[in-house]
Amino acid sequence: SLQLNLRRVREAVVSTQSTGLERRTTKMLFFLATLALASAADPLRSALQSPEGMAQLFTQFEAEQGRVYDNNEAKLRFRLFRKSVKEVVETNEQDLGWTAGFNLFADLT
């Protein structure tokens, strides 16, 4: 999906026969579209950079896994979950030829 979108944007840039200013504008739009798609491609990294995003991801995880915590335990589980997400992102940044993810144990020690 990401590759298909990038290909469409690239084709639009290549097929445009225009003046220098229009070409620079088109190239800038292509760059911005690529940057936006790359950011959207890694929701875990985005969540790590935003407390609200991480809270939303954890809430979604709780709902999907049927987790219910009291307030004190929720704080501990949130910290463990955030640590798991960080480890997944750091592993994936190493480009090992495979993609790490988290599972139902992401909030456990």
Side-chain angles (χ1 to χ4, degrees), residues 9 15 19-20 46 49 56 64 72 74 87 92:
V9 172
S15 68
T19 67
S46 298
Q49 296 173 350
Q56 183 178 14
E64 289 174 0
N72 289 330
E87 289 172 0
N92 289 339

Side-chain angles (χ1 to χ4, degrees), residues 2-105:
L2 176 62
Q3 290 177 340
L4 180 62
N5 288 335
L6 288 175
R7 189 175 329 145
R8 285 182 184 159
V9 172
R10 188 175 294 123
E11 288 170 359
V13 170
V14 171
S15 68
T16 303
Q17 299 295 326
S18 57
T19 67
L21 178 60
E22 289 173 334
R23 269 182 281 196
R24 284 192 299 270
T25 302
T26 303
K27 286 181 181 179
M28 179 58 78
L29 289 173
F30 174 71
F31 171 75
L32 293 173
T34 302
L35 185 61
L37 290 171
S39 297
D42 191 359
L44 296 182
R45 173 171 272 303
S46 298
L48 278 176
Q49 296 173 350
S50 162
E52 296 83 14
M54 182 58 67
Q56 183 178 14
L57 187 63
F58 182 65
T59 300
Q60 180 182 352
F61 173 81
E62 287 178 301
E64 289 174 0
Q65 298 302 323
R67 304 283 209 262
V68 179
Y69 305 117
D70 65 36
N71 195 31
N72 289 330
E73 186 177 11
K75 291 175 185 177
L76 168 68
R77 299 298 171 191
F78 179 78
R79 285 193 304 269
L80 293 170
F81 179 79
R82 185 177 53 214
K83 181 180 174 189
S84 294
V85 170
K86 183 178 178 185
E87 289 172 0
V88 167
V89 169
E90 289 172 352
T91 299
N92 289 339
E93 286 175 345
Q94 296 175 33
D95 197 22
L96 300 170
W98 51 274
T99 303
F102 60 86
N103 58 23
L104 69 147
F105 303 112

